[in-house]
Amino acid sequence: MTTVNEDMEAQEEKSQLSVPSTSISLTATTSAYQLMSEIPTEDSQKFDLLSAHVWSEEDNEDILETPNKDEPKDEAPHQRPIWANKIEYLLAQVGFSVGLSTIWRFPYLCFHNGGGSFIIIYILMMFLVGIPLLFLEMAAGQRMRQGSIGVWKVISPWIGGVGYTSFMVCVIVGLYYSVLMAWNLFYLVQSFQSPLPWLLCPVSKNSSIDSECARTSPTTYFWYRKVLKAADEIETDGKPVMHLTASVLAIWLIICISMIKGPKSTGKMLYISVLLPYIILFSLLIRSLTMKGAYFGLKNLLATKVPALYSAEVWRRTGNQLFLSLGPGFGSFTAISSYIPRSNNCVIDAYAVAFLNLLASLTTTVFVFAVMGHLATKNNEKCYLMNAKRVMDLVIARVLTPEAHPPDSLNHDPSSIYPKWLNNLPEHIKSKILSNLTDCDLSKELNKVMIGPGVVIVTFSDIVSLFSGPTFWSIITFLLLVNLGLSTAIGIIQGIITPLQDTFSSLREHSKLLTVGVCVPMFLGSLLFVRPSGSYYVNLLDDYWVSLPLFFIVILETIAMAWIYGARRFLTDLSIMMGRPISPIYRWLWCFVSPFVLLVLFLSTLIHLSVKEITYLAWDSRTVSLPRPDPPKSHEVTRIYPSWAKALLIFFVIITVLPVPVYFFYTVIIRVASPVSMSHSTAIITFQPEAKGKSPTVGPRLQLRQKRQKIIKMDKPKTEGKLSVL
């Protein structure tokens, strides 16, 4: 190991790195990429030694012997594209984070996991784990100016495979995520007609209502039979559905056009795809709050169930939702941040993205609970009126005395008149009536409507039917969902294109061709999920697969940054890079809190999948065809995935995490083949304190457009390990 002691004296340097009274030893293992680290130069003063840059001896020899071989001095380095302004950059980060999972899952999980308790746990985990992880990924991309593959190779070659795992996750998620968007796009196109096609059952040629639709709800029938043309089970195969194929093609065309010119064209598209959903969301919120029964729904939302705070299962579900909603682990935050100047304050960006994500989640939840409160109140009033009609029939049949006759004004406001009328009846009449009436409970009705159909998109199609002018609100709602999906898909594809450009620098000169070359295969791969059984594969990946590799990725990212590169060293780099001090609390969060919470969530998710059966919701046409006396209900049936589907799930998990051990052993082989480089692959840089008792000062901020000077020489080993920076 090579030890380098650097004594920085205040009398000789104008700006230095000051540290507390005890000297700090920063140890890290990095790759040759750090040779390209840049330092500012000024005519009037010497430059600062910003941080320790250590690379393998093998790379050193190549550079020392032929410093101008690959890059002549007079040749300007390739300029990395940047975002046009900070707003477009922030929109890209927020757009990727706030996606369909933010809108679809949060209200359902909130209702079934303690209401206010779920929100409290979510916010707590967001501060302890979510924001630190966002800050870590944004800072890594901004510091290294590379995508996920290059960043983690720089931090440590031993875990360089993490970037490849993120890359593969983006590819697989991008395949089926485009299908989710295609579903919403098809609903959006179908919304431009009145009445909406999912509000009424189709009529056959002989003017009779479709028998299958008549025995279920029109919205559920439209989803399974018209949109998906769904098979009864996952084993049933078929050709891709034509209208969904066209929708997927349209989605990939929009994505390709939005990204074909890099960040410049993407940024302009984000003004629409990110800002418009927030405008629509607040419009829907205001409309829902004016509906009758909205207060009851919100009261149930805010009700905190204390036992949920002590439930391990609630904490597991909350953690899963936090990471699926925020989106760490995909490498997209790293890729997007690599196009922003290094002096950018990514701490504020991490908080902004997290809070805007939380705002979207809470706004959607308030909207859904208000609408469901209205629907529950409406159903409860129907129950009141049915009971009143039954009492009237009993009075006509002289089973009850005329004194029990309901008031004529009951139809005007059943919610307030019915309970007063029933409570004011004489006790002997009331006891006779209650034995013949249905129990009308508003809380039970809310439970029924919140359970509702098993597919969220069907729930949204039900919701818009409650508004006056449902065609307009349907267009607004599905325009919201399409835009949310589009901004997230752009972030996912950015997590594919940026690592490719960083790994193969020649591709940056052909960015348009690369974008098309990525989108075309992705479109062809997405066709696997638009077959009659395709939605069941989407559920398999989205519900059971994606969380495991994401937890695996963020655990390794945190350990690599906190314990291999060094959290203290990374914070020092960022403080100098941004020109401002950073709270040391992040070091403790990265080193202890985040790894522990992530490991617990990963193991609990793994145990949950191992112990419980994995199931999916399917449409059972054979059940629907049978006559039944009950009112129409959704005929979704819960089926267990076959053994080969479980094997497929395991295969996807293994294939996505496999690059990590493969790259690790590759690094071991390289180091064994070059044992000399292994002995010089690490270094300890000790910064001596400037003066005891003085407060730390920060060196000048790294400006992106300043003239750069690269580290191109280093003393030979015979110089006793001293590092020479020219």
Side-chain angles (χ1 to χ4, degrees):
M1 179 178 294
T2 303
T3 304
V4 182
N5 295 321
E6 294 291 337
D7 298 327
M8 294 180 292
E9 300 179 1
Q11 294 80 2
E12 297 179 356
E13 299 289 346
K14 288 186 178 181
S15 64
Q16 297 180 343
L17 175 67
S18 298
V19 293
S21 58
T22 58
S23 60
I24 305 172
S25 295
L26 304 177
T27 305
T29 303
T30 62
S31 72
Y33 287 98
Q34 280 188 301
L35 189 63
M36 308 306 292
S37 298
E38 300 157 345
I39 54 178
T41 60
E42 297 180 3
D43 296 334
S44 62
Q45 66 177 24
K46 299 179 181 179
F47 54 80
D48 295 326
L49 179 61
L50 298 183
S51 60
H53 297 283
V54 188
W55 48 86
S56 67
E57 188 72 17
E58 186 177 26
D59 293 329
N60 293 344
E61 293 297 331
D62 294 338
I63 295 169
L64 287 171
E65 293 176 5
T66 58
N68 299 329
K69 178 179 179 181
D70 297 326
E71 188 178 0
K73 290 182 180 180
D74 57 347
E75 181 179 342
H78 191 282
Q79 292 294 327
R80 189 179 186 85
I82 61 173
W83 295 100
N85 52 62
K86 178 65 178 285
I87 295 178
E88 291 184 6
Y89 160 75
L90 194 59
L91 288 176
Q93 298 283 29
V94 174
F96 168 71
S97 179
V98 181
L100 293 177
S101 61
T102 304
I103 302 297
W104 284 5
R105 286 193 177 101
F106 197 94
Y108 175 84
L109 290 173
C110 185
F111 179 79
H112 291 282
N113 293 278
S117 300
F118 175 84
I119 296 176
I120 292 172
I121 297 172
Y122 186 92
I123 294 176
L124 179 63
M125 294 188 72
M126 184 184 75
F127 278 102
L128 293 180
V129 183
I131 292 177
L133 285 178
L134 292 186
F135 175 37
L136 188 150
E137 291 199 349
M138 290 179 182
Q142 183 175 315
R143 169 69 178 85
M144 310 300 180
R145 296 187 66 75
Q146 295 191 55
S148 57
I149 293 178
V151 161
W152 301 109
K153 284 182 181 179
V154 171
I155 291 171
S156 173
W158 303 106
I159 55 107
V162 171
Y164 293 99
T165 297
S166 295
F167 178 85
M168 295 184 66
V169 169
C170 283
V171 171
I172 297 175
V173 172
L175 291 176
Y176 74 79
Y177 198 86
S178 62
V179 177
L180 299 179
M181 296 170 59
W183 294 344
N184 289 287
L185 181 61
F186 181 75
Y187 267 94
L188 176 61
V189 173
Q190 294 295 311
S191 298
F192 288 92
Q193 52 185 304
S194 183
L196 294 173
W198 57 82
L199 296 185
L200 301 173
C201 287
V203 179
S204 60
K205 294 181 180 180
N206 56 2
S207 301
S208 61
I209 296 177
D210 186 285
S211 59
E212 188 176 3
C213 180
R215 293 192 169 104
T216 185
S217 64
T219 52
T220 304
Y221 172 83
F222 181 83
W223 164 247
Y224 283 105
R225 280 298 185 233
K226 298 299 182 181
V227 179
L228 299 180
K229 296 190 180 296
D232 286 354
E233 51 193 15
I234 193 173
E235 290 88 347
T236 305
D237 204 352
K239 296 180 180 179
V241 180
M242 289 306 299
H243 61 263
L244 289 182
T245 301
S247 298
V248 171
L249 176 61
I251 290 297
W252 281 112
L253 283 175
I254 296 173
I255 294 174
C256 186
I257 294 172
S258 301
M259 303 187 67
I260 199 162
K261 290 186 179 180
K264 291 183 178 179
S265 61
T266 303
K268 302 301 180 289
M269 184 67 183
L270 291 171
Y271 281 105
I272 300 174
S273 61
V274 177
L275 296 179
L276 183 61
Y278 277 94
I279 297 173
I280 295 175
L281 200 54
F282 279 104
S283 300
L284 291 171
L285 175 65
I286 294 172
R287 176 66 182 89
S288 65
L289 293 177
T290 62
M291 302 176 74
K292 184 178 182 180
Y295 172 75
F296 176 75
L298 297 181
K299 186 172 67 174
N300 279 269
L301 167 64
L302 299 176
T304 302
K305 300 176 182 177
V306 177
L309 297 173
Y310 307 102
S311 172
E313 182 65 15
V314 172
W315 282 80
R316 183 189 69 81
R317 293 176 179 174
T318 307
N320 284 343
Q321 172 61 20
L322 176 69
F323 291 104
L324 290 176
S325 179
L326 287 179
F330 286 92
S332 297
F333 287 122
T334 304
I336 295 170
S337 297
S338 68
Y339 299 110
I340 194 73
R342 281 177 168 165
S343 58
N344 174 64
N345 189 345
C346 51
V347 180
I348 295 179
D349 296 341
Y351 277 92
V353 171
F355 277 111
L356 288 173
N357 184 288
L358 178 64
L359 177 64
S361 299
L362 292 179
T363 303
T364 305
T365 303
V366 171
F367 160 68
V368 170
F369 270 75
V371 173
M372 291 305 172
H374 167 74
L375 184 57
T377 301
K378 188 176 177 181
N379 291 343
N380 202 52
E381 288 183 347
K382 290 180 180 179
C383 179
Y384 287 158
L385 294 176
M386 288 179 61
N387 283 345
K389 185 176 182 305
R390 189 169 300 173
V391 171
M392 291 174 62
D393 293 339
L394 293 175
V395 171
I396 294 173
R398 300 195 178 188
V399 175
L400 296 174
T401 61
E403 190 179 0
H405 194 283
D408 296 333
S409 60
L410 183 63
N411 289 327
H412 298 296
D413 189 10
S415 296
S416 59
I417 297 177
Y418 179 88
K420 292 179 181 178
W421 161 73
L422 190 61
N423 292 330
N424 291 332
L425 288 174
E427 200 62 36
H428 65 282
I429 298 178
K430 185 178 179 180
S431 60
K432 290 182 180 180
I433 290 178
L434 290 177
S435 60
N436 294 281
L437 299 183
T438 303
D439 183 23
C440 299
D441 191 329
L442 193 55
S443 298
K444 291 181 180 179
E445 291 296 335
L446 182 62
N447 287 330
K448 290 179 182 179
V449 297
M450 285 301 295
I451 293 173
V455 182
V456 181
I457 196 170
V458 179
T459 303
F460 273 91
S461 62
D462 276 331
I463 287 175
V464 298
S465 65
L466 300 175
F467 296 144
S468 57
T471 299
F472 170 77
W473 291 107
S474 178
I475 295 172
I476 290 297
T477 301
F478 288 106
L479 186 62
L480 161 72
L481 297 177
V482 169
N483 277 277
L484 285 175
L486 178 61
S487 57
T488 301
I490 289 175
I492 292 173
I493 303 305
Q494 196 73 61
I496 298 174
I497 292 178
T498 300
L500 288 176
Q501 290 177 330
D502 293 336
T503 305
F504 308 100
S505 57
S506 60
L507 294 177
R508 194 173 296 280
E509 300 175 0
H510 308 283
S511 59
K512 295 181 180 179
L513 186 61
L514 175 62
T515 303
V516 175
V518 169
C519 291
V520 170
M522 293 290 285
F523 160 68
L524 296 176
S526 300
L527 297 181
L528 295 172
F529 301 100
V530 297
R531 298 174 301 158
S533 59
S535 62
Y536 307 143
Y537 289 93
V538 172
N539 294 336
L540 178 68
L541 295 175
D542 197 43
D543 293 344
Y544 300 106
W545 165 76
V546 69
S547 58
L548 287 177
L550 286 179
F551 279 133
F552 180 77
I553 290 168
V554 292
I555 288 172
L556 288 183
E557 286 180 354
T558 307
I559 293 175
M561 186 62 76
W563 295 100
I564 299 178
Y565 187 89
R568 189 194 300 269
R569 178 187 178 186
F570 188 59
L571 287 177
T572 301
D573 288 349
L574 296 180
S575 295
I576 300 172
M577 183 178 74
M578 293 188 293
R580 56 179 61 85
I582 299 176
S583 173
I585 188 65
Y586 294 104
R587 181 163 67 91
W588 298 102
L589 292 174
W590 288 338
C591 290
F592 305 107
V593 178
S594 294
F596 173 75
V597 174
L598 290 170
L599 188 60
V600 170
L601 289 173
F602 176 75
L603 293 177
S604 62
T605 302
L606 191 61
I607 294 172
H608 177 77
L609 293 178
S610 303
V611 173
K612 295 188 177 182
E613 294 282 356
I614 57 174
T615 59
Y616 65 99
L617 286 171
W619 178 259
D620 193 346
S621 59
R622 291 166 296 186
T623 303
V624 171
S625 62
L626 298 176
R628 15 176 221 100
D630 301 330
K633 293 181 180 178
S634 172
H635 278 272
E636 295 167 318
V637 294
T638 302
R639 300 190 190 277
I640 299 175
Y641 277 107
S643 56
W644 62 264
K646 298 176 184 177
L648 182 64
L649 176 65
I650 296 173
F651 170 77
F652 273 108
V653 172
I654 293 175
I655 201 67
T656 47
V657 303
L658 190 60
V660 174
V662 168
Y663 198 86
F664 174 82
F665 286 114
Y666 167 77
T667 306
V668 170
I669 294 172
I670 294 298
R671 295 304 172 94
V672 170
S674 304
V676 177
S677 66
M678 187 65 183
S679 63
H680 296 282
S681 60
T682 60
I684 297 178
I685 308 297
T686 304
F687 294 93
Q688 298 294 340
E690 179 183 7
K692 191 172 182 179
K694 289 186 178 182
S695 59
T697 59
V698 180
R701 182 182 301 191
L702 284 179
Q703 300 294 340
L704 178 67
R705 298 180 180 175
Q706 280 185 322
K707 183 179 177 183
R708 309 293 188 175
Q709 181 176 347
K710 297 184 177 179
I711 303 172
I712 59 174
K713 291 185 180 180
M714 186 181 71
D715 285 349
K716 298 291 185 179
K718 64 183 180 182
T719 61
E720 300 180 357
K722 292 184 179 180
L723 186 67
S724 176
V725 182
L726 298 182

